[in-house]
Amino acid sequence: MAHINGYVVAAGEKKKASQPSWNWVLINATGESKALDVDKYAVMHRVQIHARDLRIIDPNLSYPSTILGRERAIVLNLEHIKAIITSDEVLLRDPAHENVIPIVKELERRLPVGNQAHHGQGDGKESSAAHNDADDGEEDESPFEFRALEVFLEAICSFLAARTTELETAAYPTLDELTSKISSGNLDRVRKLKSATTRLTARVQKVRDELVHLLDDDDDMADLYLSRKLSCACSMASSPNCYLTSPTIGSKISRASVATVRGDENDVEQLEMLLEAYFIQIDSTLNKLTTLREYVQDTDDYISIQMDNRRNELIQLEVVLGSGTVCSAFYSLVAGIFGMNIPYTWNDNHGYMFKWVCIVTGAICVFSLVFIMSYARFKGLMGS
């Protein structure tokens, strides 16, 4: 047997220790954090999950947003948040990531229960008040895994909402500018915004779909009650030492046992209320993105109408120019007829013929031009 990072690994697993290590931060129920640099087999042994579950949080693999409940752990993959939650500790990947650092601080602050009582060093009245507040908080205490899950859900919902706000701030002025001035630069910026909106909508939709999946399946929600399952297992074993394997959660398991006796062990109302709160928030973010996409589509339609109008104007100009060319062709015809070096009798002593030919040709040109313009305007008004 060999000891790695405080836990035991069998001798047959020494070869597995040579696998590439992952950076983790471990946060326990007291809010203390510790950096870990272990391979995936050590993590599997610590939290007792299978390799297929660990692949969900592998950064080299692309998996959609997922929240999986296992016998003794919750495997969570939400965008940059890749974590494993047990009944008394949290393992979080890539603690040095810029978006993960605030989550670690929030976990350290919110996971401990009654920390005012532990850290209160004032006079007796302040300590007594803090102790009473801690006792009141413990009466309404949620299981450890739910407090950790709430921190992660709050972080991802706030992250996506912030990205949506940034996109809205950049998109609406750019779209309004495009409607007032159509240029290649504005069109390129709108194209990039449209692509960014589509990508962000897909990311938000994945998180929303995962919450909907959990809310629609009571069995999946029941799998997330780690403390309840642990207390039930200990009650069935009827072993007085079953709590000694995790002394930091002994009091919590006792409360979970009482809750199990008082209510149905399949009751998921507490988790359902938690998930519904963040479902409403992520659904609101999705609605904002949907509104933005509709605004982009409306702007696109408006630009298409403007371009069609410009195209129609160019077509009308082309008709006018074509009509002028036809009129000029009549005069060219007259000049060509009288300019030919061909003898004919009516050309002798009949100079007035040139005037009449010019008058008739001019009248035909004017009539042709008026007719073509009227026809083109009529067809344009009819939308044909």
Side-chain angles (χ1 to χ4, degrees):
M1 305 293 286
H3 293 271
I4 299 178
N5 292 290
Y7 47 92
V8 179
V9 179
E13 296 180 355
K14 290 183 179 180
K15 294 182 179 180
K16 298 178 181 179
S18 62
Q19 296 290 331
S21 60
W22 292 355
N23 294 324
W24 300 82
V25 61
L26 185 147
I27 306 172
N28 57 24
T30 62
E32 298 177 355
S33 61
K34 179 176 65 175
L36 296 179
D37 190 11
V38 296
D39 58 32
K40 61 181 181 179
Y41 296 103
V43 174
M44 290 164 52
H45 183 270
R46 185 183 188 96
V47 299
Q48 298 184 7
I49 60 175
H50 297 288
R52 62 177 179 271
D53 298 328
L54 199 61
R55 279 197 292 269
I56 296 175
I57 57 177
D58 192 336
N60 298 322
L61 302 176
S62 179
Y63 276 90
S65 298
T66 307
I67 302 175
L68 290 180
R70 293 297 181 252
E71 185 62 29
R72 297 189 179 182
I74 299 174
V75 182
L76 186 140
N77 177 25
L78 297 174
E79 294 285 330
H80 54 275
I81 302 175
K82 303 179 186 298
I84 301 175
I85 306 173
T86 66
S87 57
D88 61 345
E89 63 184 15
V90 176
L91 284 169
L92 185 61
R93 282 292 314 275
D94 298 330
H97 192 278
E98 59 179 354
N99 293 323
V100 178
I101 293 176
I103 300 176
V104 175
K105 295 180 179 179
E106 189 68 11
L107 288 171
E108 293 174 349
R109 184 181 69 86
R110 294 174 57 176
L111 287 183
V113 177
N115 51 1
Q116 296 91 346
H118 293 293
H119 299 287
Q121 300 295 333
D123 56 13
K125 293 182 179 179
E126 293 178 355
S127 300
S128 177
H131 182 72
N132 293 333
D133 293 341
D135 291 341
D136 295 339
E138 286 186 352
E139 292 179 1
D140 300 330
E141 178 193 359
S142 299
F144 173 85
E145 61 270 19
F146 289 176
R147 299 202 307 275
L149 180 61
E150 183 176 7
V151 172
F152 291 137
L153 291 176
E154 180 179 346
I156 194 61
C157 290
S158 301
F159 174 79
L160 294 175
R163 300 291 82 76
T164 301
T165 302
E166 293 176 0
L167 188 60
E168 287 179 329
T169 303
Y172 285 114
T174 303
L175 293 171
D176 294 337
E177 183 180 357
L178 179 62
T179 57
S180 60
K181 180 182 179 181
I182 302 175
S183 63
S184 58
N186 290 338
L187 289 173
D188 185 64
R189 284 194 292 271
V190 170
R191 179 188 61 82
K192 294 178 180 179
L193 288 172
K194 190 174 183 179
S195 300
T197 302
T198 302
R199 291 193 299 268
L200 184 58
T201 301
R203 293 163 59 186
V204 174
Q205 185 69 49
K206 290 177 182 178
V207 177
R208 180 184 180 279
D209 290 344
E210 182 60 25
L211 293 179
V212 171
H213 173 72
L214 287 174
L215 289 170
D216 289 342
D217 196 328
D218 291 348
D219 293 335
D220 288 344
M221 284 192 289
D223 288 337
L224 303 183
Y225 281 78
L226 302 180
S227 300
R228 176 189 292 175
K229 290 190 292 185
L230 185 60
S231 64
C232 291
C234 292
S235 300
M236 293 177 63
S238 300
S239 174
N241 297 324
C242 63
Y243 298 145
L244 299 180
T245 58
S246 183
T248 59
I249 60 170
S251 59
K252 181 178 64 176
I253 293 177
S254 300
R255 288 191 298 271
S257 300
V258 174
T260 303
V261 172
R262 291 179 179 177
D264 184 7
E265 63 180 15
N266 294 323
D267 182 21
V268 293
E269 182 180 359
Q270 182 181 8
L271 179 58
E272 186 176 7
M273 293 176 62
L274 173 64
L275 295 178
E276 282 181 350
Y278 292 100
F279 169 77
I280 294 174
Q281 185 174 348
I282 200 69
D283 189 62
S284 175
T285 302
L286 184 61
N287 290 335
K288 291 181 180 179
L289 289 172
T290 302
T291 303
L292 179 58
R293 292 185 65 182
E294 291 176 353
Y295 193 81
V296 172
Q297 186 62 40
D298 293 341
T299 304
D300 192 13
D301 295 340
Y302 177 74
I303 297 302
S304 298
I305 294 173
Q306 281 192 332
M307 297 300 291
D308 291 340
N309 185 42
R310 299 286 179 85
R311 191 178 299 110
N312 292 335
E313 292 177 356
L314 291 176
I315 292 173
Q316 291 180 359
L317 178 61
E318 183 179 359
V319 170
V320 173
L321 294 177
S323 302
T325 303
V326 171
C327 296
S328 301
F330 280 105
Y331 285 100
S332 299
L333 177 62
V334 174
I337 292 175
F338 284 94
M340 289 188 297
N341 192 15
I342 300 175
Y344 38 85
T345 58
W346 57 270
N347 194 26
D348 298 333
N349 300 320
H350 296 86
Y352 63 90
M353 289 296 297
F354 179 76
K355 297 179 180 179
W356 280 106
V357 170
C358 290
I359 293 172
V360 172
T361 304
I364 293 174
C365 291
V366 172
F367 177 77
S368 301
L369 182 61
V370 172
F371 175 77
I372 293 173
M373 290 292 296
S374 301
Y375 180 77
R377 187 175 301 173
F378 173 76
K379 298 295 287 185
L381 292 175
M382 294 300 294
S384 302

